[in-house]
Amino acid sequence: MTCKIEDLNYLKKIFYNIDNFEDVDEEKLNRSLNLFYGLNNMSDPLWKKEFKDVIKSKGQKTKTGKQKFTNISSDDFNNFEAKEIIKKAFEKKKDIKNKLNSFYQCELRFKSTIIYEAPPYLMSIRENDGTPENEFVAEFILDDICSSPYSNAIRGCFENENEKISEILKNNECGFFDVIPIPLPINSDLRNQWATEEKFVIEGKRIFVHFFEWAVANYKMKDKISRDDKHKIALGIPLNNAITLYENYNPKGILEFGEHENQKILFNDPHYIDFKNKKIGLWIQPFKNCIISTSNTPNAELMKLAFDKFNYS
């Protein structure tokens, strides 16, 4: 059996070095995705079953004009080739990478950064003259249209409902990246396993910490962090994954986006709020950069706190 570190390293290549599915070694792909989902470390596509609930049958349009989706039947899912499932993720990953590169090409240097977990995976299939066709339908945060709670938190923080998210971020000198740059289904059970089970400790670190360090290194390469102001981050990562990061950086871990002092962040910096004088009506997380609400999604008012934009009056 191949050791986990080799499969983890290939997962990193999938994240950052392999853009086209045609360039994938399918045996290594299967092992690395099995590692991702905590399955037996074999070259078979055991990971395929983790995608079942995020592949939908395309239904009729509702009265509002929106598509109504239903879960795919077991028979249809079993007949769907694993490579077609992951191939769509690679196609969307390439689109995401292009949008991020375009976003980073602006002349600005960022004074703050929003960090989310991963782009969503949602694929629909339908019959066309008896031939199954598939379509990737999940919205990325920098797509022209994105109406998720994750985009709504950004709009609410910067109080802008009209512009594209990319323009809102640039207008506010705010960067963005996902920890996992390719759409893969992630649910609360998997997040909990990543945070608690020993099989996800590799080379002394939990698997999501590895993902985070890769993402930070990739972001640092863009050299977009301002040196003029103390940098601030908003961590919009669901709590079971966020806690692995707070554990990793406890108690005085520094997150570095560059060599300049203003580019170094005390990751576990707590909130300092005088509740006797400031009534803000929010459930406050222990750490200033945590913007996840009680619904386990980002909250605009918590993002304002992370960025010191909250009006206490």
Side-chain angles (χ1 to χ4, degrees):
M1 183 179 293
T2 306
C3 67
K4 288 183 178 180
I5 191 62
E6 291 182 13
D7 299 325
L8 185 71
N9 288 338
Y10 198 75
L11 194 59
K12 183 179 181 181
K13 288 185 178 181
I14 291 171
F15 282 9
Y16 296 104
N17 302 118
I18 303 175
D19 289 334
N20 300 310
F21 181 78
E22 292 73 17
D23 298 327
V24 165
D25 181 315
E26 289 194 41
E27 181 176 337
K28 291 180 179 179
L29 169 75
N30 290 332
R31 290 202 306 264
S32 63
L33 289 180
N34 289 338
L35 174 66
F36 185 91
Y37 289 109
L39 305 171
N40 291 331
N41 200 11
M42 298 168 58
S43 58
D44 298 325
L46 306 177
W47 53 265
K48 176 185 172 183
K49 70 182 184 65
E50 302 296 328
F51 285 65
K52 182 173 182 179
D53 289 340
V54 292
I55 297 179
K56 310 292 184 181
S57 301
K58 196 165 189 177
Q60 300 297 318
K61 288 187 177 180
T62 64
K63 292 181 180 179
T64 62
K66 294 183 178 181
Q67 290 286 355
K68 182 179 180 181
F69 294 99
T70 58
N71 287 333
I72 189 172
S73 70
S74 295
D75 287 343
D76 285 344
F77 178 79
N78 292 334
N79 291 331
F80 211 59
E81 291 188 25
K83 68 178 182 180
E84 292 300 321
I85 294 174
I86 198 64
K87 185 176 181 181
K88 299 305 293 187
F90 270 85
E91 291 175 7
K92 186 62 179 179
K93 186 191 98 164
K94 187 185 295 187
D95 175 63
I96 288 169
K97 183 177 181 179
N98 290 338
K99 286 185 169 73
L100 283 170
N101 286 340
S102 177
F103 173 69
Y104 293 144
Q105 285 172 3
C106 68
E107 297 180 358
L108 299 169
R109 284 188 174 271
F110 302 135
K111 296 180 180 179
S112 56
T113 299
I114 295 169
I115 304 173
Y116 283 166
E117 180 184 70
Y121 186 106
L122 176 61
M123 190 173 78
S124 69
I125 69 165
R126 57 193 173 89
E127 292 287 331
N128 184 14
D129 295 329
T131 303
E133 292 186 349
N134 52 68
E135 176 186 9
F136 199 98
V137 294
E139 298 170 347
F140 174 55
I141 201 77
L142 297 184
D143 286 345
D144 289 344
I145 298 175
C146 184
S147 56
S148 74
Y150 288 80
S151 64
N152 293 339
I154 296 172
R155 293 186 182 280
C157 173
F158 297 114
E159 299 179 355
N160 188 324
E161 294 294 328
N162 299 317
E163 291 186 289
K164 297 177 183 177
I165 294 294
S166 59
E167 295 305 312
I168 294 173
L169 293 174
K170 285 187 284 189
N171 290 342
N172 289 278
E173 298 173 285
C174 182
F176 170 84
F177 67 89
D178 277 313
V179 173
I180 298 171
I182 181 172
L184 295 171
I186 305 168
N187 57 32
S188 59
D189 288 341
L190 181 60
R191 294 185 186 103
N192 183 62
Q193 291 173 37
W194 283 351
T196 59
E197 295 191 7
E198 285 301 309
K199 66 182 177 181
F200 287 114
V201 177
I202 306 171
E203 298 287 291
K205 296 177 183 177
R206 293 204 167 273
I207 194 169
F208 193 76
V209 174
H210 286 286
F211 299 163
F212 185 76
E213 290 179 344
W214 301 344
V216 170
N218 182 69
Y219 188 60
K220 285 171 66 174
M221 289 175 58
K222 312 302 179 185
D223 193 26
K224 298 294 294 181
I225 303 300
S226 172
R227 299 176 179 85
D228 298 331
D229 300 281
K230 189 69 177 177
H231 200 73
K232 300 180 179 70
I233 63 172
L235 197 71
I237 295 173
L239 296 180
N240 277 341
N241 274 338
I243 193 61
T244 65
L245 301 181
Y246 293 119
E247 289 174 347
N248 180 69
Y249 285 97
N250 184 55
K252 296 182 179 180
I254 300 297
L255 176 61
E256 295 186 2
F257 284 140
E259 298 300 321
H260 193 276
E261 192 61 30
N262 282 343
Q263 298 170 319
K264 299 176 181 180
I265 299 166
L266 180 61
F267 192 85
N268 285 24
D269 196 17
H271 279 291
Y272 298 97
I273 297 175
D274 182 356
F275 286 100
K276 293 181 179 178
N277 299 319
K278 298 171 182 177
K279 308 298 184 183
I280 61 177
L282 285 172
W283 181 268
I284 305 299
Q285 301 291 358
F287 305 108
K288 184 176 181 180
N289 63 33
C290 184
I291 63 167
I292 293 295
S293 69
T294 53
S295 65
N296 212 25
T297 55
N299 177 280
E301 304 306 310
L302 291 176
M303 192 181 290
K304 288 179 182 179
L305 279 178
F307 291 156
D308 294 320
K309 292 171 57 67
F310 201 96
N311 181 2
Y312 296 105
S313 59

